Amino acid sequence: MALLEIKNLSVTFPTAAGVLRAVDGIDLRVDQGEILAIVGESGSGKSVSMLAVMGLLPPAAVIRADQILFNGQDMLRLSARARRKIIGKDISMIFQDPLSSLNPSFTVGFQICEVLRLHLGLSRRDAAARAIALLDAVGIPDPAARMNSFPHQMSGGQCQRVMIAMAIACKPRLLIADEPTTALDVTIQKQILDLLADLQRETGMGLIMITHDMGVVAETADRVIVQYKGRKVEEQPVLDLFSSPQQAYTRALLSALPENATGLRLPTVDTLMKGGA
């Protein structure tokens, strides 16, 4: 049985120029223990589709789907209270920008402990001990001292590790990582990817990796969904996608990799899409 199964998801936003369709009929499935990558350029609806699952889109967003099943439960039919018991505990998310996602007014220790106390009902002492262990697990040096640090007192890589610690605090069955290596240097990127892969293997959780970096996809994913203008244009196992991409847009993404650069001027994405597969 699929861990998460989405059928015909659409997300629209009202604007002064009319209705903006950010996600248009997406189908998606991820199994326990699987790493699914969702790729595409900025604005292709990758993050919006997952934020819709998490219930974190603004009130103006209109979300429609035939079904959003998590572990056999229809998320669309659950009450807000029932959804809150799942989101943050069984389904967790690493957000794209840790500095804007962490609360600057509270220490990182307080923010991790808050998750543990809310979802697991731990005492202050037990939550603090668990938070220190989590910071140590994600590679934060001197974790006990770092519990008292505010986000602005930590580097971007360390804040990203704090976000990962918060996301895995309750041992989720599904982890969504939204551009987890954006704005990090190459060394830190590798450390973060290795950390996520190790956690996924150790816990057996499902992992959805949202990215525009095809190198990250090649290194981590089992299966890949390619999105363009809110729609799914291709889905393949990762090795098949790189060896025999079926759609023009996928070939355009792969041709943009540095190792595939030839110095020739490539056609625009819109031109490729008009030309078909």
Side-chain angles (χ1 to χ4, degrees):
M1 185 175 68
L3 183 60
L4 176 68
E5 188 169 12
I6 299 171
K7 292 186 177 179
N8 197 28
L9 172 66
S10 68
V11 181
T12 58
F13 297 90
T15 72
V19 175
L20 171 65
R21 188 170 293 274
V23 178
D24 189 3
I26 291 290
D27 293 338
L28 180 150
R29 174 190 174 113
V30 61
D31 296 327
Q32 189 78 26
E34 181 183 30
I35 301 179
L36 173 68
I38 305 177
V39 303
E41 63 192 86
S42 297
S44 60
K46 307 184 301 296
S47 298
V48 172
S49 57
M50 291 299 100
L51 288 171
V53 174
M54 296 289 290
L56 296 176
L57 290 174
V62 178
I63 303 169
R64 294 189 176 92
D66 292 343
Q67 66 177 28
I68 301 178
L69 294 180
F70 174 72
N71 198 31
Q73 290 184 293
D74 191 342
M75 302 287 285
L76 297 174
R77 297 181 179 275
L78 294 179
S79 66
R81 184 176 182 179
R83 283 175 64 97
R84 283 196 296 270
K85 291 182 178 180
I86 295 174
I87 301 301
K89 181 178 183 291
D90 296 318
I91 307 177
S92 195
M93 190 167 183
I94 303 168
F95 298 99
Q96 186 170 152
D97 183 0
L99 286 176
S100 64
S101 300
L102 293 170
N103 192 321
S105 301
F106 297 99
T107 64
V108 297
F110 175 88
Q111 294 180 65
I112 297 173
C113 288
E114 185 179 35
V115 173
L116 293 166
R117 298 189 68 197
L118 176 64
H119 288 294
L120 301 183
L122 299 184
S123 66
R124 291 182 183 273
R125 175 178 291 184
D126 290 344
R130 170 69 175 154
I132 292 171
L134 285 164
L135 290 177
D136 183 55
V138 298
I140 296 290
D142 196 4
R146 278 302 189 182
M147 287 278 288
N148 297 316
S149 296
F150 290 87
H152 73 273
Q153 295 174 315
M154 306 180 76
S155 69
Q158 288 176 329
C159 285
Q160 191 68 292
R161 289 170 185 266
V162 170
M163 286 294 301
I164 294 173
M166 291 177 65
I168 66 172
C170 300
K171 298 182 179 179
R173 300 190 63 183
L174 175 65
L175 177 63
I176 302 168
D178 187 1
E179 301 282 8
T181 59
T182 295
L184 301 179
D185 63 60
V186 175
T187 302
I188 300 299
Q189 284 186 25
K190 181 68 166 64
Q191 292 173 359
I192 294 295
L193 290 175
D194 287 345
L195 175 61
L196 289 176
D198 289 344
L199 291 170
Q200 189 270 338
R201 284 192 296 267
E202 290 170 7
T203 64
M205 66 183 176
L207 175 60
I208 297 177
M209 184 83 70
I210 302 171
T211 184
H212 60 267
D213 188 331
M214 299 303 287
V216 170
V217 173
E219 185 175 344
T220 60
D222 299 313
R223 187 162 47 89
V224 188
I225 288 176
V226 182
Q227 285 189 203
Y228 176 68
K229 290 187 175 179
R231 295 186 178 185
K232 180 170 69 174
V233 296
E234 186 163 354
E235 180 176 358
Q236 289 205 71
V238 65
L239 294 179
D240 294 340
L241 185 92
F242 279 85
S243 62
S244 56
Q246 300 299 304
Q247 298 296 321
Y249 179 63
T250 308
R251 293 196 292 271
L253 287 177
L254 294 175
S255 70
L257 292 172
E259 57 266 33
N260 293 333
T262 63
L264 298 176
R265 182 177 180 182
L266 295 172
T268 65
V269 168
D270 285 331
T271 301
L272 286 166
M273 292 301 292
K274 289 177 182 177

